[in-house]
Every structure is written in C-alpha cells, then in structure tokens.
Amino acid sequence: MTDSRNTPQAPIRVLTVAGSDSGGGAGIQADLKTMMALGTHGMSVLTAVTAQNSLGVQGAWELPAEAVRAQFRSVVDDIGVQAVKTGMLASAELVGTVAGLLRPLDVPVVVDPVGVSKHGDPLLAAEALETVRTELLPAATVATPNLDEVAQLTGVTVTGEDDMRRAAGAVLAYGPRWALIKGGHLSGEATDLLTDGSAEHWLRAPRYAVRHTHGTGCTFASAVAAELAKGREVPEAVALAKEYVTGAIAAGFALGAGIGPVDHAWRQRGDTR
C-alpha cells in the first residue's frame, strides 16, 4: 500500500497545442521551457513539424487532424489541464479541430494566432484566417496577436497607441474575453495593450537593443497561460508574463548564423539584465 504522505503532489498542468521548432527557440519547445521556468508542468499536442533554424523555416509538415485530436484526448482525459495555449495551427482543418476540442473545456485558453515566423515565413494558410476569426478566437480567454497578426485578422494597421485601441476592439469583436495587442514592432518603449473592452491595461517595458528575439510571441503567450493556470486573474497574469518575457529578451543569445532565441532560463542563470 502506498503511503500518500510521501507522494509528491502533481504540479500545475498547462497544455500547449502548437508546432515544433527544430531549432528549439520557438513553438512547442519554447512553450515547454517557459512553462517549466514558471513552475508548471508543460504538456504538448503537436500540430506540425518544421525544419527550422536561426535563418528561417526550411520546411513545414502539418499532422493529420486525427493525430491532433488523439493527442489532446490522451492528455486531457487522463492527466487533466489547468490552462491551454495554442500556437501554430497551420490549416483551416486543424484550426477547426482545435477550436472544437477547446470549446467544452472550463479552463483559461490563451490563443496566439500565429501567422508568420520571426523570419517572415508563413505558418498559417490564408484560407484558415476565417476559421481563426469565427471558431478559434471565440474560445479564447486571452488572444495575443502581434501587429502583423492584427492586420491579417482585422485589416487594422497599427502605427501608434490609438491604433492599438482600434485593433483591440476589432479583435474583441470576434469573441475573446480579453485582447492583448503586442506593440513590440512599434518604436519607443515595448508597449502592449490588454483590454476586455472596458478596462485598459497598458504594459510598458524598456526596449533592448538586441537582435536575438526568436520565440518572443510563443514565450509571452505561454507565460500568460502558466500564470492563469495558477489561478491568477488576467491582468495580473499578463503583467507577470510581460516581466518574464522582457527578461528573456534582454538575455537572448546568439545561436547559429541568424536570429537567436530569447533565454527562457534567464532567471535560473541569475541574469538580471
């Protein structure tokens, strides 16, 4: 008979539904590193495999919807989850499949509507955009588009903070509870807007003159999911995630001949830049 007093309690569990980055800087790999760094147990549903390095994406192969569905049911039905984050979903079929799997869940869902890689390589079929709008975004607790993804989804071009408000309204019109508009591509401070249509939370951080920022979006969204899984309210979860990803960006390092990744282990390494 097992002595339950000596059985460690399972950690908080977070599930990522996303594509693989063979270079380890973004995608599933970045998600799992982030989840571990923030004290949670990361689990994964793989949607696509990419051949990817610091120079770009050399190839991508999506998995069958049946394989995605089986992975999801395997994890959720046995282990259970306390938050879910979605990333690269590649096709309209996979977007619809994942949206259908998320709908019955009663846990926070963070949707990172990944459209292109850091190098500009497409990671979502153009015909999948409408499915993202009508099926995936309504399942989101928080949607986390960057400015390129905002333009893809809503047609809103953001050049300043007033545009970020318009962008957030356009994203919220598709049904997520909160929109986190990431303004990292603007000049000046690294400024993001979190809003549910009434309350506004502006998150500002220093802009570091660094090149190695691969995986920023995946890392930010995964950090939000990890903090939500701990039971935090959305504004607090996003503020803590912003602090974490800012440190990871500051500590980004060279890897290969191109753009290196952010450092998911910056706190463990004692890097406080």
Side-chain angles (χ1 to χ4, degrees):
M1 183 174 179
T2 303
D3 185 347
S4 61
R5 293 172 299 179
N6 296 323
T7 303
Q9 184 177 358
I12 291 167
R13 288 144 286 150
V14 188
L15 178 65
T16 170
V17 183
S20 169
D21 172 3
S22 53
I28 287 276
Q29 288 83 349
D31 297 343
L32 295 176
K33 291 173 187 177
T34 299
M35 291 165 186
M36 176 174 281
L38 295 178
T40 65
H41 176 68
M43 303 169 292
S44 61
V45 170
L46 196 64
T47 60
V49 175
T50 68
Q52 189 172 167
N53 56 26
S54 70
L55 298 173
V57 179
Q58 291 78 45
W61 301 266
E62 67 183 78
L63 270 67
E66 178 184 2
V68 171
R69 192 178 294 109
Q71 292 175 81
F72 187 94
R73 290 266 62 93
S74 179
V75 172
V76 172
D77 294 349
D78 173 49
I79 300 171
V81 298
Q82 286 151 296
V84 181
K85 176 258 180 183
T86 71
M88 176 187 176
L89 299 182
S91 69
E93 182 183 16
L94 289 186
V95 172
T97 296
V98 171
L101 292 167
L102 294 174
R103 232 170 265 128
L105 291 186
D106 188 25
V107 300
V109 174
V110 178
V111 170
D112 185 14
V114 174
V116 295
S117 75
K118 177 68 67 178
H119 304 86
D121 303 291
L123 299 176
L124 180 71
E127 60 270 20
L129 285 171
E130 187 60 21
T131 314
V132 172
R133 296 182 189 108
T134 60
E135 298 188 35
L136 187 61
L137 288 178
T141 307
V142 186
T144 67
N146 63 29
L147 301 187
D148 290 335
E149 291 154 357
V150 163
Q152 275 188 315
L153 289 167
T154 70
V156 175
T157 300
V158 176
T159 59
E161 291 188 2
D162 286 343
D163 294 329
M164 291 176 74
R165 286 193 179 95
R166 288 198 304 117
V171 171
L172 288 171
Y174 292 118
R177 283 178 45 208
W178 292 81
L180 173 60
I181 308 301
K182 298 178 296 188
H185 294 169
L186 298 176
S187 59
E189 286 183 307
T191 301
D192 309 313
L193 171 61
L194 172 70
T195 179
D196 62 355
S198 55
E200 279 189 1
H201 303 270
W202 290 91
L203 300 102
R204 305 180 192 276
R207 181 177 299 279
Y208 293 100
V210 295
R211 181 181 183 215
H212 304 300
T213 57
H214 185 50
T216 305
C218 303
T219 300
F220 198 173
S222 294
V224 173
E227 296 298 344
L228 289 174
K230 297 173 186 177
R232 302 190 193 283
E233 295 297 321
V234 171
E236 183 185 11
V238 172
L240 289 169
K242 173 79 169 178
E243 179 186 356
Y244 170 75
V245 76
T246 299
I249 290 168
F253 53 86
L255 200 67
I259 300 173
V262 301
D263 187 356
H264 300 94
W266 66 275
R267 284 177 175 157
Q268 288 81 354
R269 297 189 217 282
D271 193 329
T272 56
R273 283 180 289 174

